[in-house]
Amino acid sequence: MAKYSSKINKIRTFALSLIFIGFIVMYVGIFFRTSPIIMTIFMILGLLFIIASTVVYFWIGMLSTKTIQVICPNCGKTTKMLGKVDMCMYCREPLTLDPKLEGKEFDEKYNKRSYNK
Ligand SMILES: [Zn+2]
C-alpha cells in the first residue's frame, strides 16, 4: 500500500525533479565554458527542463481545480481526491467515490478508462 502516494504529490515530485535536472544540465554547461556553443546548448537545454517544470506546475494547478474535497474517514482531515480512486494526503488511506469499489484493495487500474467500460 505504501508504494502509492497521492497523485498530485507524485506529479509535484516530478516537477521538482525537472527543476533539479535543469540546474544539473546548466551546471554541466559551465565545464564547457571554453566552448561557447556547447555551453549555450547546455544552458538552453537546462532552461527547457525548467520551462517544462513550470508547465507541469501549471498542470498541477489545472488538476487541482478538478479535485474533489473529501473528509477522510480514517484520519478525519479534509483531503483532495483526483479521479475515482485516490488516497488520503495525510494517512494514505485509500479513498473511492465509487460504492462498487468500496472495500476492495486499492488499485490504480480503477482509474483507467478501459476498466470502467
Ligand atoms: Zn486520512
Side-chain angles (χ1 to χ4, degrees):
M1 282 289 190
K3 70 178 174 174
Y4 292 109
S5 69
S6 175
K7 262 170 256 166
I8 287 180
N9 284 346
K10 237 184 243 173
I11 300 165
R12 205 169 275 150
T13 309
F14 173 66
L16 199 69
S17 50
L18 277 179
I19 291 183
F20 276 117
I21 293 166
F23 278 118
I24 290 164
V25 170
M26 284 171 120
Y27 184 72
V28 169
I30 295 168
F31 290 102
F32 294 95
R33 58 179 171 265
T34 47
S35 165
I37 295 159
I38 296 170
M39 195 177 100
T40 308
I41 290 168
F42 271 102
M43 289 298 162
I44 291 167
L45 215 66
L47 207 64
L48 282 177
F49 274 110
I50 291 162
I51 290 166
S53 128
T54 314
V55 171
V56 174
Y57 269 115
F58 183 73
W59 183 45
I60 295 168
M62 298 281 281
L63 283 177
S64 299
T65 61
K66 285 184 196 160
T67 54
I68 305 149
Q69 281 211 336
V70 288
I71 292 164
C72 172
N74 191 42
C75 66
K77 282 181 182 151
T78 311
T79 182
K80 284 175 197 158
M81 266 185 84
L82 188 63
K84 263 189 176 175
V85 207
D86 207 347
M87 74 181 9
C88 176
M89 290 193 292
Y90 304 99
C91 67
R92 299 186 163 210
E93 167 85 5
L95 304 165
T96 177
L97 286 178
D98 194 339
K100 274 188 293 187
L101 301 175
E102 217 162 281
K104 282 191 189 176
E105 202 173 325
F106 183 79
D107 199 320
E108 292 270 351
K109 76 169 187 260
Y110 296 143
N111 280 320
K112 299 236 169 76
R113 208 167 287 247
S114 57
Y115 183 83
N116 292 318
K117 261 179 197 164

